Amino acid sequence: MNCSIVNSLHLKPSLAVILPSTGIILNNGRLRFRELLKLSMSQATKAFIKDGVLRINGREALLSVPENVVVKPSSNESLFLGAVSPEASSRHVFKLGVVKDFKLLSLFRFKLWWMIPRIGRSGSDIPAETQLLLLEAKANGDGSPQADKALPFYILFLPVLDGQFRSSLQGNSSNELEFCIESGDPSVKSSKFFEAVLVNYAEDPYDLVKESIKQMPEMLDWFGWCTWDTFYHDVSPEGIREGLRSLSEGGTPAKFLIIDDGWQDVVNEFQKEGEPVVEGSYFGGRLVGIRENSKFRSDNPTSEGTSNGLKDFITSIKETFGVKYVYVWHALMGYWGGVHPNAPETRNYNSKLLYPEQSPGNLAHSRDLAMDCMEKYGVAMIDPNRVDEFYDDLHAYLVSQNIDGVKVDVQNILETLGTGYGGRVSLTHRFQEALEKSISKNFPDNSIICCMSLSTDSIYSSKVSAVTRASDDYMPRNLTSQTAHVASVAFNSIFLGEVLVPDWDMFYSVHYAAEFHAKARALGGCGIYVSDKINEHDFDLLKKLVLPDGSILRAKYPGRPTRDCLFSDPITDGKSLLKVWNLNKFTGILGAFNCQGAGTWPGLSSNQSNSSPEFITGEVSPNDIEYLDEVAGNNWIGDCAIYSFDSGSLSRLPKNESFGVTLKVLQCELFTISPVQVYDKNVEFSPIGLIQMYNSGGAVENIDFSNKNSDLVLHIEGRGSGIFGAYSSRQPECCTLNSKQVQFKFSIVDNFLTLNIPVGLHFWALDIFF
């Protein structure tokens, strides 16, 4: 078993997860590897196979389990499933047993690059290329009234990497769960697999990692702008300047910039200059040098008459517009079509032209223009023995040009190129190791965004990278993809959020679904960046996300669906809202989204209905926020103050109660949920934060209290300007802001305390006297 502790992690009780080949153990408490190994060998697992049935926590999880399926205990209560075959092969499909009468959630790849969720009830609902399967079970599971009343628990099937092989799950028409395991190289064969699928169970479906195992790049906390949907390949220094200027002048300065595809030195033999554009031909372009193209070179004068190379340009925009971080785009293989084998500046990387071959699991789903073109034009893959040199040359040059990080795209292409190189897993390990070695050397802030990388080959091979795109591209012109984009990231974050920060991608602030996307990102726990065209901005919307200094109020964790939404389809069932939860330091945030009737999932049959009623109603409760007690403090009395962003209303509710919310299609609402604490003199108080910001509670950095003379004083530290709000059972005697007395308003109707934090105060200390 290839496992080691990379850090001490804190998990909720009852979950210990080992991810093979990742170097990561996710474990309850702070046990070291030897202790875990001793436990796994000495304690009987609660899951076992008897009479062809796999039972987990007393529940029949798999029926009719074949005799060639093997069980290997892992840690305290988890295990591995595998299988053996009489013949060695580079690809096997093994049956694990029948799955039926469960609520189930599959996260699967519908394209080579991307995942989406699928809701179901039995094995036939599990798509090929499923990378996470979650079942909701009852302890008895016998259909009795007692079983119906039993609290549910959750069973996780996680296909992982087993040596040089990568596994995935799928169902068949007989409701059998299968795992497909493949090397990606016909010469890499095996007949025995003992650690193909990790199985675990817990009473909590999240059991989220509390302490990060990876360094998070600082750009996550600043507002950004990406050039892609603004310019596409026509990006230029002049265009970038104008875009930064328009955002800055509107009061939402971009402190983080991604210069996307279009800056590199590329040749394309499949698209001749002056000829009509061939759709997808740019996927055949190949890199001919690590330097920038002529648009960004010093020999290309600007309209202002000066000659600025890349370094001078980057330095200039940082000084002029206060940009803190500039990233540039490149593909894992240099460019879409790889690195040119014969160009003078790149021939030393020994690239070889290969033609990708997709696995049957990928071919079972959506066709993809990028993949179709790369299969047609080929990919010039860097020699694996020279890839360290390539990444270091490229990244060292970028650092010399004042670049701070990279967005590395097209990462899953490696799984299609493994023949003759030890297979997909070995090849991915090699390139990821080289990439992350270069990132650690050249960008010490771990400044990388991974993209087109949602395969377990890439996810489990990543030891350093901390941020990954969690969905297909934001496509502003695709009217059916807006709600699916939001729902996909939320569901995918159940899986990805355990080891990475899910990136929600860019969006337009001027768009019919702009508010929908903006509110989702406000509670996503992600970086926030737009791709607005020059002078096309909705600053009223952006100022609900971005503080005047360009920072954002980022929530603590990845935003994920609430527990009651895990097994409902928020896109096509015509009745369910999507609810997404997150936490700040002292508050929770909950979003309710009506995704029905505005699109459908890729790959569903054309007769699948996506119609829905004009309005859909759901229930919202403080209990929707997982781990709320962890931020509530010792003085929590069980009630919560609930602030509705759209209505501006404040109410108080016991944590176990709920209220209705009714939304029309593409409408969403955010709620700040703040635990009410009791202090001396019977003061009951809970902060809301900056009430004009979508994530209002993210502004509150610290809360404390003291007694001065006969007064109770609440000390609140925060950041950002605007209207601060809080629930207070009593009207204060006075308030001071940075030691100066300030005016406040107090409503006796709803106990709403508000006061103004002036523009220019980035950090502040508020004292409230009772």
Side-chain angles (χ1 to χ4, degrees):
M1 190 182 301
N2 180 21
C3 301
S4 62
I5 291 282
V6 296
N7 201 355
S8 294
L9 305 176
H10 172 211
L11 289 182
K12 280 282 190 176
S14 79
L15 181 63
V17 176
I18 300 179
L19 305 183
S21 305
T22 67
I24 299 171
I25 292 185
L26 312 182
N27 176 55
N28 171 33
R30 301 183 183 276
L31 295 176
R32 298 300 179 186
F33 177 65
R34 289 182 180 177
E35 296 173 282
L36 279 174
L37 188 60
K38 186 183 295 184
L39 279 173
S40 68
M41 296 302 173
S42 64
Q43 294 192 10
T45 180
K46 292 186 178 181
F48 60 91
I49 297 177
K50 183 178 180 181
D51 299 327
V53 177
L54 174 68
R55 289 177 173 85
I56 297 179
N57 196 30
R59 173 72 158 90
E60 296 179 347
L62 294 174
L63 306 175
S64 303
V65 178
E67 292 184 356
N68 66 327
V69 171
V70 295
V71 176
K72 179 179 179 180
S74 174
S75 60
N76 192 10
E77 293 178 350
S78 61
L79 59 91
F80 288 108
L81 294 179
V84 295
S85 170
E87 296 183 1
S89 176
S90 63
R91 184 177 188 271
H92 297 267
V93 176
F94 292 106
K95 296 178 180 180
L96 287 173
V98 174
V99 175
K100 62 180 182 179
D101 300 327
F102 286 99
K103 292 181 179 179
L104 62 85
L105 166 66
S106 303
L107 299 181
F108 73 100
R109 286 197 301 166
F110 77 102
K111 292 182 182 178
L112 182 80
W113 328 104
W114 307 118
M115 287 195 302
I116 57 175
R118 179 70 54 81
I119 309 299
R121 291 279 180 172
S122 61
S124 61
D125 297 322
I126 302 170
E129 278 296 308
T130 287
Q131 300 189 128
L132 178 146
L133 176 64
L134 185 68
L135 311 181
E136 183 184 73
K138 297 292 179 68
N140 294 324
D142 56 7
S144 66
Q146 292 80 6
D148 290 338
K149 294 179 180 178
L151 292 175
F153 69 96
Y154 300 88
I155 302 171
L156 174 70
F157 290 83
L158 197 66
V160 290
L161 308 183
D162 191 345
Q164 293 178 279
F165 286 74
R166 177 255 187 187
S167 60
S168 62
L169 298 174
Q170 61 194 41
N172 63 30
S173 59
S174 299
N175 288 329
E176 292 171 309
L177 177 65
E178 302 173 336
F179 78 88
C180 172
I181 190 158
E182 54 194 336
S183 71
D185 185 341
S187 67
V188 178
K189 302 178 181 181
S190 183
S191 61
K192 299 176 182 179
F193 306 94
F194 300 112
E195 297 183 354
V197 181
L198 176 73
V199 183
N200 205 348
Y201 78 94
E203 294 178 356
D204 189 298
Y206 304 100
D207 280 322
L208 155 76
V209 178
K210 297 298 185 184
E211 298 172 12
S212 171
I213 61 175
K214 298 174 181 178
Q215 180 182 1
M216 298 300 158
E218 293 182 1
M219 62 82 186
L220 287 170
D221 294 312
W222 298 90
F223 175 59
W225 178 54
C226 178
T227 63
W228 179 244
D229 281 315
T230 311
F231 305 111
Y232 299 110
H233 293 101
D234 295 327
V235 61
S236 69
E238 288 184 324
I240 292 172
R241 287 183 187 277
E242 288 305 307
L244 292 171
R245 181 177 289 113
S246 65
L247 284 168
S248 182
E249 290 176 349
T252 57
K255 299 296 182 179
F256 165 54
L257 169 67
I258 300 176
I259 302 176
D260 214 293
D261 192 357
W263 69 273
Q264 292 175 287
D265 196 4
V266 174
V267 298
N268 193 332
E269 62 184 286
F270 307 105
Q271 182 61 61
K272 305 300 183 183
E273 188 173 353
E275 295 183 358
V277 175
V278 178
E279 184 183 22
S281 60
Y282 69 87
F283 293 116
R286 312 200 200 283
L287 196 69
V288 293
I290 61 173
R291 293 181 63 219
E292 64 278 13
N293 60 33
S294 61
K295 293 184 292 184
F296 289 86
R297 285 184 182 171
S298 57
D299 56 358
N300 184 47
T302 69
S303 61
E304 298 171 352
T306 58
S307 296
N308 296 318
L310 182 60
K311 182 177 182 179
D312 289 341
F313 168 66
I314 299 300
T315 302
S316 172
I317 61 175
K318 287 183 175 182
E319 292 175 349
T320 303
F321 303 107
V323 177
K324 291 178 174 289
Y325 308 99
V326 178
Y327 284 29
V328 296
W329 178 99
H330 71 78
L332 185 72
M333 213 61 67
Y335 200 69
W336 292 95
V339 172
H340 202 290
N342 301 315
E345 294 183 29
T346 58
R347 62 165 62 103
N348 58 308
Y349 301 122
N350 291 347
S351 297
K352 182 179 180 181
L353 186 60
L354 304 174
Y355 290 88
E357 296 181 8
Q358 297 188 67
S359 72
N362 289 325
L363 294 173
H365 293 305
S366 301
R367 299 298 300 175
D368 177 74
L369 176 63
M371 197 64 239
D372 289 345
C373 293
M374 294 166 81
E375 289 176 338
K376 176 181 178 181
Y377 300 132
V379 176
M381 187 180 81
I382 306 157
D383 184 343
N385 294 318
R386 293 291 182 89
V387 69
D388 295 83
E389 179 184 355
F390 171 74
Y391 289 138
D392 189 51
D393 288 349
L394 173 60
H395 295 156
Y397 175 73
L398 293 174
V399 170
S400 76
Q401 302 302 297
N402 211 3
I403 297 295
D404 303 286
V406 287
K407 173 183 173 183
V408 183
D409 215 340
V410 206
Q411 294 199 20
N412 286 359
I413 191 62
L414 286 170
E415 70 179 73
T416 70
L417 304 174
T419 298
Y421 293 92
R424 56 190 290 172
V425 174
S426 296
L427 191 62
T428 301
H429 278 336
R430 180 71 194 93
F431 273 75
Q432 284 288 343
E433 179 183 45
L435 173 67
E436 295 187 334
K437 178 181 176 182
S438 178
I439 293 296
S440 297
K441 175 184 176 181
N442 294 291
F443 302 115
D445 186 38
N446 197 17
S447 298
I448 177 174
I449 300 173
C450 298
C451 194
M452 301 178 78
S453 57
L454 297 191
S455 73
T456 47
D457 310 65
S458 296
I459 294 168
Y460 293 156
S461 296
S462 172
K463 310 287 180 63
V464 174
S465 304
V467 182
T468 188
R469 271 275 303 285
S471 72
D472 200 347
D473 290 2
Y474 167 71
M475 293 177 279
R477 293 186 294 274
N478 186 334
L479 302 183
T480 65
S481 71
Q482 307 305 311
T483 56
H485 182 100
V486 169
S488 292
V489 181
F491 275 92
N492 288 344
S493 295
I494 299 169
F495 176 27
L496 299 173
E498 294 293 339
V499 289
L500 296 156
V501 175
D503 177 89
W504 287 63
D505 203 11
M506 65 200 88
F507 70 102
Y508 281 163
S509 70
V510 177
H511 190 267
Y512 75 92
E515 182 182 357
F516 205 80
H517 285 283
K519 287 182 175 178
R521 285 153 180 79
L523 57 74
C526 55
I528 298 176
Y529 54 104
V530 296
S531 194
D532 288 353
K533 295 185 180 298
I534 297 172
N535 296 321
E536 295 183 18
H537 315 289
D538 183 341
F539 288 112
D540 288 338
L541 180 144
L542 290 177
K543 289 178 180 179
K544 297 168 185 174
L545 292 167
V546 187
L547 295 174
D549 66 349
S551 65
I552 62 172
L553 302 178
R554 186 165 67 93
K556 289 177 67 175
Y557 300 126
R560 286 157 295 175
T562 59
R563 194 177 298 211
D564 59 340
C565 290
L566 287 177
F567 303 99
S568 299
D569 186 339
I571 302 293
T572 62
D573 73 7
K575 60 183 180 181
S576 301
L577 296 179
L578 171 67
K579 294 186 295 179
V580 180
W581 67 273
N582 212 324
L583 288 172
N584 297 301
K585 290 182 178 179
F586 297 95
T587 62
I589 180 172
L590 183 71
F593 301 81
N594 185 352
C595 304
Q596 303 286 348
T600 188
W601 293 113
L604 288 181
S605 60
S606 58
N607 60 2
Q608 171 98 19
S609 173
N610 64 349
S611 61
S612 69
E614 183 179 359
F615 295 93
I616 291 180
T617 298
E619 293 293 312
V620 168
S621 170
N623 263 351
D624 287 331
I625 307 290
E626 302 286 332
Y627 315 124
L628 188 60
D629 57 328
E630 295 186 8
V631 303
N634 296 327
N635 299 318
W636 187 24
I637 60 176
D639 286 4
C640 291
I642 301 177
Y643 176 71
S644 170
F645 182 87
D646 282 357
S647 66
S649 62
L650 183 69
S651 58
R652 178 169 171 167
L653 194 70
K655 64 178 181 179
N656 293 321
E657 294 188 9
S658 63
F659 60 94
V661 57
T662 300
L663 302 172
K664 61 184 180 181
V665 176
L666 276 175
Q667 186 180 5
C668 47
E669 174 63 297
L670 295 179
F671 303 94
T672 295
I673 297 179
S674 184
V676 177
Q677 300 195 51
V678 61
Y679 297 94
D680 295 345
K681 305 182 75 170
N682 293 320
V683 172
E684 296 176 0
F685 185 92
S686 57
I688 300 301
L690 296 179
I691 62 175
Q692 295 166 320
M693 304 293 290
Y694 283 144
N695 184 21
S696 59
V700 180
E701 297 284 344
N702 191 41
I703 302 176
D704 201 355
F705 72 96
S706 63
N707 291 287
K708 293 183 179 180
N709 300 323
S710 60
D711 291 332
L712 167 70
V713 184
L714 293 179
H715 310 280
I716 302 174
E717 296 176 358
R719 63 188 182 95
S721 57
I723 305 299
F724 173 84
Y727 171 88
S728 178
S729 63
R730 289 177 50 191
Q731 179 171 328
E733 295 292 332
C734 69
C735 299
T736 65
L737 183 64
N738 291 350
S739 301
K740 295 182 179 180
Q741 189 165 337
V742 293
Q743 294 183 337
F744 64 87
K745 295 180 180 179
F746 183 77
S747 169
I748 61 174
V749 176
D750 52 11
N751 299 97
F752 203 179
L753 168 67
T754 57
L755 56 87
N756 183 53
I757 309 292
V759 174
L761 286 184
H762 300 311
F763 299 94
W764 42 264
L766 174 65
D767 287 343
I768 304 174
F769 293 79
F770 294 92

